[in-house]
Structure formats: structure tokens, C-alpha cells
Amino acid sequence: YFQYIAPVKSGLDIKLGQVNSLIGYEQVEGPHNANYSRSWMFGLGQPFTTRGGRFSYDFDKHVSLSVGIIYYINSARGNTRHDPLVESALKMAASDRVTLTLYMLAGPRPGASGTAGGTLIQPGGYLSLQVTDQASAVIEAYYANQANSSTISPAGNARWNGVAGYLIYDFTKQWGVRLRGELFEDAGGFVTCEGTTNYQPRANVCFGATTNAPAPPVDQTRWEVTSTLQYKPTTSLSTRLEYRY
């Protein structure tokens, strides 16, 4: 992406191109996440990256706002259309130890095969707490509703939502543990079971899928608990051993 800091008071950060989405606590790059694996919320229900323009401004050391005008999102659901969407994130730091980030994604999106598709509204946020110098915690939740996009929902709307909690503790500068617990609901059968058996990573593939078609949509709730042991032999290298259930 191209970046320019416009001389507007404290500086208006302008980015043009493809950047990480403002939606969600987890990111594409592994070192920025608490765990090695990604959550269902990240992998199924939110954009990974977006393309377009983004404007970010720090009002002071406590409050900042980012707004993106985007024409494409890279996510688990394929999309060859380039509909305009808007994403935003408001970050508020009550202190050096407490930060609240509220985000929103809105705009037209294609629906499941055989539906007209419609407007997606996805608000959410996460609260970050630095409990001690060695311990921190994060709680995240979001809710998404997309009109006229589900083939199994009585109202025709696709709806998915999730909540996750993270506990991070560093015994030393080298050793630490990270725990994640998560609950993810796909009430409209829209974002889960979209993979086919022909897709080599075999991600998001459910029983009933074939080489050419995903499994039939189903209303389902998923959960997972993940524990990660981290060891950093140097400041620039992290190794992780993980168990997920």
C-alpha cells in the first residue's frame, strides 16, 4: 500500500491499497496474535484484508479513529464483485492499562447461491486489559447480519456472531502461555461449511461436501479452547507449541 501523513494537526494517516482489516482483534500476521492458530471469528466471520483507502487520525493520546472506504474484502467467502463498503474503528484508551476498540463494517455483499444478497452490518469490539506487567486479557464480541443472503433462515437474513476471551501471561521475557476460549454461531448457515473436498488446505469443509460443491448449509454453533506455550530464544524469534480442542 501507499502511505502518506498529511500535515493536519497531529497528522492524518492516509493509506491506499491493501491493508489488514479494521475488523477483529486477530490479524493475518502470526506474530501479532496471541495464539498460533486463528479463531473461528477470524477465519469464518470477518475480513482478513481490505482494498481501498483508509484515513486514520489521533485526536490525542487517548482517542483515535480510522475510517476505510473499500471496494473489496478478502475473506473466507469468495467474492468477485467490487461493491463499495465502509469500515471503521474507534480506539479509546482510558489509561495505559485499559483500551476499548469499537469497529463496524457495512455495505452490500453477495448472498448464498440462489439469493439476492443484501446489506451487511457488522458491529463489534474488544476490550484490552493489562492486568499486571506480566498478565493481560482481551474480550471480543461481534454481531453480523446480512439481508436476503441465507437459504435456510425463515427471514432470509444471514446472521453470525461470536465471543472470545484471551488470557496472556509471560513468566519471563522468554517463556509465556496464551489461552483462548471462543463461541461462534452461524444461525443462517452462511459462513460455515463453504469448502469443497477439492480445496487442498481442506479448510471449512463439512460432511456432505464434494469436489465441486460445499456441504448443504446448516444452522450451527462452534466452540473451541486453545492453549499455547511460547518460547522466544531471541527478541526477534518466537516459537509456539499449541493444543486446540
Side-chain angles (χ1 to χ4, degrees):
Y1 59 84
F2 167 81
Q3 183 178 24
Y4 174 68
I5 307 298
V8 179
K9 293 188 177 181
S10 62
L12 178 63
D13 187 348
I14 302 173
K15 293 185 178 73
L16 301 175
Q18 182 161 322
V19 293
N20 285 341
S21 175
L22 295 173
I23 309 303
Y25 167 67
E26 295 185 6
Q27 300 182 33
V28 174
E29 296 85 358
H32 298 311
N33 300 316
N35 306 93
Y36 171 76
S37 66
R38 303 297 188 275
S39 63
W40 295 121
M41 293 174 65
F42 174 86
L44 299 178
Q46 68 185 62
F48 309 141
T49 60
T50 61
R51 299 175 192 169
R54 178 177 298 173
F55 306 88
S56 303
Y57 185 77
D58 294 335
F59 295 97
D60 53 40
K61 66 178 183 178
H62 299 291
V63 180
S64 63
L65 175 66
S66 295
V67 177
I69 310 298
I70 54 183
Y71 67 91
Y72 179 81
I73 66 175
N74 176 26
S75 64
R77 288 194 62 88
N79 178 16
T80 56
R81 289 164 43 176
H82 297 280
D83 296 316
L85 298 100
V86 176
E87 64 173 352
S88 62
L90 175 64
K91 184 176 181 180
M92 298 170 288
S95 68
D96 294 336
R97 293 182 176 272
V98 181
T99 302
L100 176 64
T101 302
L102 302 175
Y103 53 73
M104 169 76 80
L105 176 67
R109 291 280 285 160
S113 178
T115 67
T119 299
L120 165 66
I121 302 294
Q122 184 172 7
Y126 55 90
L127 177 66
S128 302
L129 304 171
Q130 189 68 44
V131 184
T132 68
D133 291 341
Q134 294 173 285
S136 61
V138 177
I139 301 174
E140 179 183 18
Y142 67 57
Y143 172 88
N145 189 291
Q146 185 171 316
N148 305 317
S149 297
S150 172
T151 58
I152 65 171
S153 171
N157 294 347
R159 176 177 65 81
W160 63 97
N161 51 270
V163 59
Y166 303 78
L167 293 176
I168 302 166
Y169 187 83
D170 292 320
F171 299 102
T172 66
K173 291 182 179 180
Q174 291 182 302
W175 291 95
V177 294
R178 287 89 173 91
L179 302 176
R180 179 182 66 214
E182 173 194 17
L183 188 67
F184 181 83
E185 181 189 22
D186 181 18
F190 182 64
V191 296
T192 54
C193 299
E194 281 297 302
T196 66
T197 58
N198 195 42
Y199 181 53
Q200 290 305 315
R202 299 294 172 88
N204 200 22
V205 180
C206 299
F207 181 78
T210 67
T211 57
N212 299 316
V218 60
D219 174 358
Q220 62 177 303
T221 299
R222 297 182 177 186
W223 63 271
E224 56 93 5
V225 177
T226 301
S227 58
T228 305
L229 175 65
Q230 177 170 287
Y231 172 64
K232 300 180 69 174
T234 68
T235 56
S236 58
L237 176 64
S238 297
T239 62
R240 289 173 174 173
L241 180 65
E242 186 167 282
Y243 176 75
R244 177 168 175 156
Y245 180 78

